[in-house]
Amino acid sequence: MTEIQLHNTLTRRKEAFRPLDPANVRLYQCGPTVYDRAHLGNARPVVVYDVLYRLLRQAYGAGHVTFVRNFTDVDDKINARAREMQAAGDARPLTAIVRALTDQTIGWYHDDMDALGALRPTHEPRATDYIGQMVAMIGELIAQGCAYAAEGHVLFEVSKYPGYGRLSGRSLDDMIAGARVEVAPYKRDPMDFVLWKPSDDETPGWDSPWGRGRPGWHIECSAMARAILGESFDIHAGGIDLQFPHHENEIAQSTCACGDGTFARTWLHNEMLQVEGRKMSKSLGNFFTVRDLLDQDIPGEVIRFVLLMTHYRKPMDWTNEKAQIARNHLKRWWSLVGPPESHNRNVAAPQEVIKHLANDLDTPGAMGVLFELEKAGRIDELVCGANLLGLLAHQADYDALFDLPWLSSDARDAIYEAVFKWSEERSRRNYEAADKIRSVLHSLGVQPLSNDPNGETWKFTNPDFATDEANDRIIREINEALSEWE
């Protein structure tokens, strides 16, 4: 078995991965706060650590890897969104709105991440199902003198954990200067962070020894990881934006609560994402969700391919050019390997691909191997290597890239000719002719997408036409429509 090497943020070096128990390799990834659609930056860690999950399953066996990714379904951002819904006319109690909102958002998340080819984790705990474990953990921290209650709050006393700052490599002075530290009269020190906070009668809350309230964000992941994976486990993963304060705080409270436990032994962090060379931001007009891209007919596999083109520890830039490059490569690969049902699944994953992934998840290197396999005509190995990266596996991506493969070449030529004619008439401002051609295309289940006759200009939306008779009808009706304008 190829030795897996991972860059451990905690030690700042690449290390050989040796699990605590090879029969139960344990991985925790911080999941989403569920109040809105996942944006593209949220998708990067999902795809990165999905590849890690696949690699671990390859190395240790699918039944010997436990992967946990949580849902944060109690949070002030969720409460704020629910209050906006109330103000807009939703008459339900706030707690009912919160539950409906989080249920809906979890459903969206599953749909979008499934579209990216991400495997579902072994466990997907909701924070609200582990409130009891959070309360118990907070009680332990108070009993050990590492936390204190004040004015309905419970706070972790950072000065009681000497190792604070080791993960992020910052001193306390640096943290105070560079962080948005909440100054509150009930804090002993500005860096102390909230473990429990009070809730009013309307806001979601639970009974506790410190009054009705709700947990702070950091204690949620510590309690869920401990409950499912134990006091010590192998890997904790997330975006670099979580390194401080979230992961730093997790280490402090979990280590103090569990005594000599090491909590997570290896910490992985992926870098941030940009769009066309700029930070993704609503104010810059370049903010979009995964669903936005899917609705623009960019297949999930294309999105995944682009995300894997850059090593996870380097900043990644999403560009339209990269998306088109990914589309072209995937279309060529799919044309070589055929639909998923025709693939040979009895071929071992190529060692060259595994070697790159085992080298700190070198996905660009692994994809380079796939191109070499393509050139060498090793098609079955290309499929298995791509599958290890979560590519070339889903019928939906095959169909999306080929605009439904049952169209005959003559039917395709007729459609492209009609789309070209439609584009030409629009450019001449002959809108009557263009509209009639478009109407015929719509009646055949064809939707033009752009005015560029050389690009991806249409999609086929009527699967009922998947017959030879339908191909003949497409050719006949398009020819009749075009003959009127010659």
Side-chain angles (χ1 to χ4, degrees), residues 281-287:
S281 163
K282 290 181 180 178
S283 63
L284 295 176
N286 65 352
F287 179 93

Side-chain angles (χ1 to χ4, degrees), residues 128-172:
T128 51
D129 292 333
Y130 288 80
I131 299 295
Q133 289 86 338
M134 297 172 202
V135 169
M137 195 172 197
I138 294 169
E140 292 174 34
L141 290 169
I142 292 175
Q144 293 174 20
C146 298
Y148 58 94
E151 299 182 22
H153 296 74
V154 181
L155 298 107
F156 183 87
E157 192 166 2
V158 169
S159 64
K160 296 298 179 69
Y161 180 61
Y164 196 81
R166 182 184 170 202
L167 180 70
S168 57
R170 309 181 190 186
S171 69
L172 281 176

